[in-house]
Amino acid sequence: MNLPAIDKTWSLFLDRDGVINVEKYNDYIHNWSQFKFYDGVLEAMKIFEQLFGKILVVTNQRGVEKGVHKLEDLENIHRNMQQQFLENAGRVDQVYYATSLDDAHPDRKPNPGMGLRARQDYPEIDFDKSIMVGNTLSDMHFGRNVGVACNVLIFTREEVNTHDEAIDFVYADLVSFARELALR
């Protein structure tokens, strides 16, 4: 499989922790002061802004229902993240998050709920012209469950089996993927 040629009819789904920002292993990002972009992410988002019609973040955030941080803190993180993207010529059209502790909740990845909500909000989203980028098999299975054209794994977790059949491409970081897409 080759990377598809992208135009503004395509949509990009991005996981957050471990893809956009440095993940706190076995913990949560509790507030904006703990949120740190990976190197190159702002450049990647600028490239994506030029390539994709819709850019959406889909993120599991159990910490809210666990009571380890407040919903207001999560929403503040997302507002600040989106503002940073805008200030650097990038964008995210919408952030979808699942706070449920129940793995069977339709919005909790790998379940397709956040993708289906995104298509409801943006009817122009065509999953056959969409890419999912994440750092876990749950992200990759979410991509398969909504029917995206391809799944891209950002390899930030050593325990992820990069040979899993749900993974179409593997990159070390988001900016490497963005730069390759820009060359197509």
Side-chain angles (χ1 to χ4, degrees):
M1 174 184 251
N2 293 321
L3 277 175
I6 304 301
D7 62 32
K8 287 288 192 172
T9 64
W10 281 71
S11 299
L12 178 65
F13 289 87
L14 296 166
D15 179 45
R16 195 192 84 183
D17 300 326
V19 174
I20 292 172
N21 61 282
V22 177
E23 187 171 32
K24 289 174 72 178
Y25 196 69
N26 288 327
D27 198 1
Y28 299 93
I29 305 298
H30 298 289
N31 54 54
W32 178 245
S33 69
Q34 295 178 343
F35 188 96
K36 305 290 180 232
F37 288 110
Y38 276 117
D39 289 342
V41 164
L42 295 176
E43 176 190 340
M45 296 308 291
K46 181 178 179 179
I47 293 169
F48 294 148
E49 196 284 328
Q50 297 166 10
L51 296 175
F52 289 92
K54 291 291 172 221
I55 302 171
L56 310 135
V57 170
V58 287
T59 180
N60 286 342
Q61 295 294 326
R62 277 188 167 155
V64 173
E65 282 203 15
K66 282 185 175 181
V68 297
H69 55 257
K70 296 181 175 145
L71 182 60
E72 299 82 39
D73 294 325
L74 178 64
E75 290 174 342
N76 185 53
I77 289 168
H78 293 156
R79 268 191 310 277
N80 284 307
M81 176 185 74
Q82 288 179 281
Q83 185 60 39
Q84 288 294 304
F85 292 152
L86 287 172
E87 289 174 9
N88 289 277
R91 72 174 154 80
V92 164
D93 296 296
Q94 185 76 33
V95 178
Y96 296 91
Y97 52 84
T99 60
S100 179
L101 298 175
D102 180 3
D103 287 338
H105 191 283
D107 284 346
R108 186 151 180 79
K109 290 182 292 181
N111 302 320
M114 288 187 281
L116 298 175
R117 284 178 39 216
R119 189 172 61 191
Q120 199 169 41
D121 292 343
Y122 303 99
E124 65 272 26
I125 290 174
D126 178 352
F127 292 130
D128 290 332
K129 288 184 167 186
S130 296
I131 295 174
M132 174 63 199
V133 180
N135 72 323
T136 67
L137 291 180
S138 176
D139 296 324
M140 302 298 97
H141 291 288
F142 165 83
R144 287 290 183 258
N145 288 338
V146 296
V148 299
C150 65
N151 281 320
V152 174
L153 180 83
I154 302 301
F155 190 63
T156 58
R157 287 187 171 193
E158 293 291 326
E159 73 273 11
V160 175
N161 174 8
T162 58
H163 300 293
D164 189 279
E165 64 184 19
I167 301 169
D168 297 309
F169 302 98
V170 178
Y171 289 87
D173 52 39
L174 198 58
V175 73
S176 298
F177 169 59
R179 287 173 180 161
E180 187 164 332
L181 266 187
L183 295 174
R184 302 199 54 71

